[in-house]
Amino acid sequence: YQHLQAYKNSILPEEIFAVFIDAYHAKMRDENEKLTNISIYLAVAIDMEGYKQILGYWIKKGKENKSFWIEVFQDMISRGLKKVAIFVSDDFSGLTDVVNQFFPYSDHQLCWTHMKRNLRRKFSKREYSLLNKHLTFVKESLTKDEALGHWENFLKELSNLNPSLSKQYEKKSENYLAFIDYQQEIRKHIYTSNVVESVNAGLEMMRLELGGYFPSMRTLEINLFIQLSNLNDKWMRKPVAAFRANLYEMRQILNVKFGLEKFLD
């Protein structure tokens, strides 16, 4: 248990290239033997050397909400995190405000996997196929102008099907297209928060093995700590090749973003 506490309070790097954040929802038996809703907040990073690592996890009773995300960001900052090129998350209400509040020089990319999942739920197979065609063109674009053109086509197609939804996406265009400003090789790694969802899959397996819910906070924390430690050990053996090949470019991106600080402060 001491190792667990040391892990939760460990010092973080000052600079991280990408931080992927997500929340997993489940039920846990509380001290009164009642099942209660919990949210497990996770942050996974790709560091300035191209390695994936887990920055931390935070367990809160209740549903995901903005105040919990504020606590998560405050904790990461208190443990040493200062500069991040890009955050990647799902489109949780208020999360963009939290990113802008604590990391105003960082990009915030909204997850395409979550977006496509939502579109698939709302539209027929044929309608989704038409929308996805434009999204594929966006991802394959070589320049930002080209990507913006295909995104506009996507919004027009969406407007024909659901005008109010199209307006919602239009307002968040900057966040859905943040990844386009990065090197071609690393774009595919930063337009989705799938790296965190792989951790969530492990949590889901753990929950099912324990009978559909977590029997106590201690059981959850110890099992989670073991899973995350094993993942960290595995990830630290081999960097992500696309990032490793672009270390100079990654450094330049961070320098440009946070070099502005000196002039704007």
Side-chain angles (χ1 to χ4, degrees), residues 1 12 30 33-34 40 43 46 48 57 73 83 126 156-157 162 172 205 212 219 244 252 256:
Y1 206 64
L12 298 179
D30 64 17
E33 294 297 305
K34 291 182 179 177
I40 303 171
I46 293 178
M48 295 305 294
Y57 69 89
F73 274 74
K83 300 176 182 179
R126 186 189 68 82
K156 284 176 193 170
E157 193 83 59
N162 188 324
K172 297 167 184 173
M205 195 178 300
T219 300
R244 194 69 173 176
Q252 291 302 102
V256 168

Side-chain angles (χ1 to χ4, degrees), residues 76-264:
M76 289 193 291
I77 290 167
S78 72
R79 290 164 57 205
L81 185 62
K82 290 182 179 178
K83 300 176 182 179
V84 177
I86 187 167
F87 286 91
V88 187
S89 76
D90 70 344
D91 186 16
F92 178 76
S93 178
L95 189 48
T96 296
D97 294 337
V98 177
V99 173
N100 290 339
Q101 177 185 345
F102 291 104
F103 290 89
Y105 301 102
S106 303
D107 290 321
H108 181 204
Q109 171 69 44
L110 293 177
C111 175
W112 276 45
T113 300
H114 285 88
M115 173 179 64
K116 287 188 171 189
R117 208 176 282 157
N118 292 336
L119 292 171
R120 202 178 282 119
R121 275 199 297 262
K122 289 179 185 294
F123 300 107
S124 69
K125 205 169 183 179
R126 186 189 68 82
E127 290 167 340
Y128 173 74
S129 180
L130 288 170
L131 295 169
N132 191 45
K133 178 185 70 175
H134 296 297
L135 293 175
T136 301
F137 288 148
V138 173
K139 281 198 300 180
E140 292 174 352
S141 297
L142 296 176
T143 66
K144 187 159 190 176
D145 285 343
E146 187 185 343
L148 284 167
H150 291 305
W151 180 255
E152 287 299 321
N153 291 337
F154 160 73
L155 293 175
K156 284 176 193 170
E157 193 83 59
L158 183 57
S159 184
N160 293 333
L161 301 168
N162 188 324
S164 64
L165 187 61
S166 181
K167 284 177 184 173
Q168 288 177 39
Y169 280 114
E170 186 176 10
K171 285 178 187 172
K172 297 167 184 173
S173 294
E174 183 182 334
N175 297 113
Y176 278 112
L177 298 178
F179 75 104
I180 293 294
D181 284 328
Y182 291 77
Q183 278 72 26
Q184 192 87 24
E185 304 98 310
I186 65 176
R187 285 181 192 173
K188 66 180 181 180
H189 296 281
I190 59 171
Y191 73 88
T192 171
S193 58
N194 278 359
V195 64
V196 186
E197 295 217 354
S198 65
V199 181
N200 286 346
L203 282 168
E204 182 67 6
M205 195 178 300
M206 190 196 310
R207 180 185 70 81
L208 294 172
E209 286 173 355
L210 291 168
Y213 62 89
F214 297 103
S216 69
M217 181 68 79
R218 186 180 177 88
T219 300
L220 170 57
E221 289 225 74
I222 290 172
N223 277 278
L224 185 55
F225 173 62
I226 291 168
Q227 180 189 331
L228 298 186
S229 296
N230 289 340
L231 261 179
N232 262 341
D233 289 344
K234 175 186 170 185
W235 285 342
M236 289 309 288
R237 288 189 207 119
K238 189 178 180 183
V240 182
F243 288 88
R244 194 69 173 176
N246 284 276
L247 295 184
Y248 174 78
E249 289 78 7
M250 288 160 59
R251 167 57 54 196
Q252 291 302 102
I253 287 169
L254 213 65
N255 286 346
V256 168
K257 283 184 180 300
F258 291 92
L260 290 172
E261 257 182 319
K262 297 171 186 174
F263 300 104
L264 296 175

Side-chain angles (χ1 to χ4, degrees), residues 60-73:
K60 300 288 183 182
K61 289 182 181 178
K63 298 285 189 182
E64 181 179 0
N65 65 56
K66 184 177 176 180
S67 67
F68 286 172
W69 276 119
I70 289 172
E71 286 184 40
V72 167
F73 274 74

